[in-house]
Amino acid sequence: MISKLKNISIIFLSILILIVTYLTFVGFNTDKFNNFFSNKIKNENPEITLKFKKIKFYLEPLKLNFIVQTLSPDLSIKNYNVKIQEIYATMSLISFFQKQNSLEKINVKTEDIKIKNLIKILRIYRNNFQTIILDKVVKNGEIKLNIDLELDKKGKLKDNFNIQGNVEKFEISYLNKVSKINSDFDFVYFNNKTTISNCAIKYEGVKFVTDSIKISKNNNNIFLVEGNLRTNNAEINTKLISEKIFG
């Protein structure tokens, strides 16, 4: 009897190890939860429609986490389509069984998105003077984003989100379309600070290049800009240029 129990225990343990190993290194694909996740998002955010093709689950046994990954889901916000490359999320098994919010981290990678469409989406949630002006002056451009988000136990978004992006063919026009600025650049936004790098700007036939521009905001609603601009003929230092924008 003891021998049989021992054999059963060994078999059970072996199967468990195989399952954990498979989920850790291979994972499994399923479409069983597609409607569940889509409906949950739709109920909490009626403007958002997110349709999944397939969802893949991985296991992080040492951290007691599940990793959820989906490729190329269809996302639309108020009829504006956003091309998503990948959504990667971390879920805590402990929080799940404690009936708390189990979703801890989300990473979203996008394809190229038209900046005009992104501004239209922004105006759905924040339609103020700044976004209206932004909508008027921005004429063209594409942006690719890599977004890291964290949520607390109640499912609320933390303030420490990180956004990295690449902008190409960015064009703004002002003064009745007399003046135009064209630019390509990379940027990182973290902790209310933006760092722009690899930036090339064309203005009135002159090309400017910058290694790095740092933009931060103080308690008085003033934006502080620090960096440098170079041309073929001269260098322009912009040491702590302070400008109050829109009050």
Side-chain angles (χ1 to χ4, degrees):
M1 184 68 181
I2 296 176
S3 179
K4 286 184 179 180
L5 288 174
K6 185 178 178 180
N7 290 335
I8 292 172
S9 299
I10 292 173
I11 292 171
F12 176 79
L13 184 60
S14 299
I15 293 173
L16 183 62
I17 291 173
L18 285 173
I19 291 173
V20 170
T21 302
Y22 184 84
L23 290 177
T24 301
F25 295 102
V26 180
F28 74 96
N29 290 295
T30 180
D31 54 10
K32 302 291 184 183
F33 300 99
N34 289 15
N35 290 334
F36 171 78
F37 286 120
S38 296
N39 292 335
K40 187 174 178 63
I41 292 170
K42 188 73 174 177
N43 290 336
E44 295 181 2
N45 302 275
E47 301 92 355
I48 299 177
T49 301
L50 184 60
K51 295 181 179 179
F52 301 96
K53 294 179 174 65
K54 275 195 175 182
I55 298 175
K56 191 165 189 176
F57 291 88
Y58 294 93
L59 181 66
E60 284 186 325
L62 297 180
K63 297 181 180 180
L64 294 178
N65 287 338
F66 251 123
I67 303 299
V68 183
Q69 180 189 38
T70 183
L71 301 177
S72 304
D74 297 322
L75 172 63
S76 63
I77 304 174
K78 276 267 183 142
N79 299 320
Y80 292 104
N81 294 325
V82 179
K83 294 181 180 179
I84 301 295
Q85 184 182 104
E86 177 188 37
I87 298 177
Y88 189 91
T90 302
M91 300 177 65
S92 168
L93 292 176
I94 295 175
S95 297
F96 177 80
F97 288 116
Q98 291 177 343
K99 296 184 179 180
Q100 296 175 337
N101 173 60
S102 58
L103 193 57
E104 294 184 337
K105 297 179 181 179
I106 305 173
N107 173 260
V108 180
K109 293 184 176 71
T110 73
E111 302 286 355
D112 289 327
I113 306 170
K114 290 187 179 298
I115 294 178
K116 288 290 289 184
N117 287 349
L118 201 60
I119 295 171
K120 299 289 187 186
I121 293 171
L122 181 61
R123 288 189 62 187
I124 295 172
Y125 300 97
R126 193 171 292 181
N127 192 27
N128 53 27
F129 181 70
Q130 289 95 325
T131 55
I132 292 172
I133 294 298
L134 195 62
D135 197 8
K136 287 185 177 296
V137 301
V138 174
K139 301 302 178 184
N140 199 4
E142 294 184 341
I143 185 170
K144 183 180 286 187
L145 298 170
N146 185 348
I147 306 170
D148 287 309
L149 308 172
E150 289 190 24
L151 293 87
D152 62 20
K153 295 295 183 182
K154 295 181 180 180
K156 293 183 179 180
L157 190 65
K158 294 182 180 180
D159 293 332
N160 62 341
F161 55 88
N162 184 304
I163 303 175
Q164 300 178 47
N166 169 258
V167 175
E168 294 183 345
K169 303 174 185 176
F170 182 61
E171 179 181 308
I172 62 174
S173 179
Y174 60 98
L175 299 178
N176 296 321
K177 299 184 179 180
V178 174
S179 299
K180 289 185 179 181
I181 297 176
N182 300 83
S183 181
D184 296 338
F185 58 90
D186 300 324
F187 72 91
V188 176
Y189 176 87
F190 180 70
N191 197 23
N192 292 321
K193 296 179 182 179
T194 303
T195 301
I196 297 173
S197 59
N198 302 319
C199 183
I201 304 169
K202 291 181 181 178
Y203 174 67
E204 298 293 334
V206 180
K207 184 176 181 180
F208 298 88
V209 179
T210 178
D211 298 318
S212 177
I213 295 176
K214 296 180 181 180
I215 305 170
S216 58
K217 188 177 180 180
N218 66 13
N219 295 330
N220 296 320
N221 202 32
I222 295 176
F223 286 90
L224 303 176
V225 182
E226 183 178 2
N228 62 76
L229 289 173
R230 298 192 308 276
T231 68
N232 291 334
N233 300 320
E235 180 166 333
I236 305 170
N237 290 320
T238 57
K239 233 179 184 181
L240 288 179
I241 300 173
S242 301
E243 181 180 356
K244 181 177 277 192
I245 299 178
F246 307 132

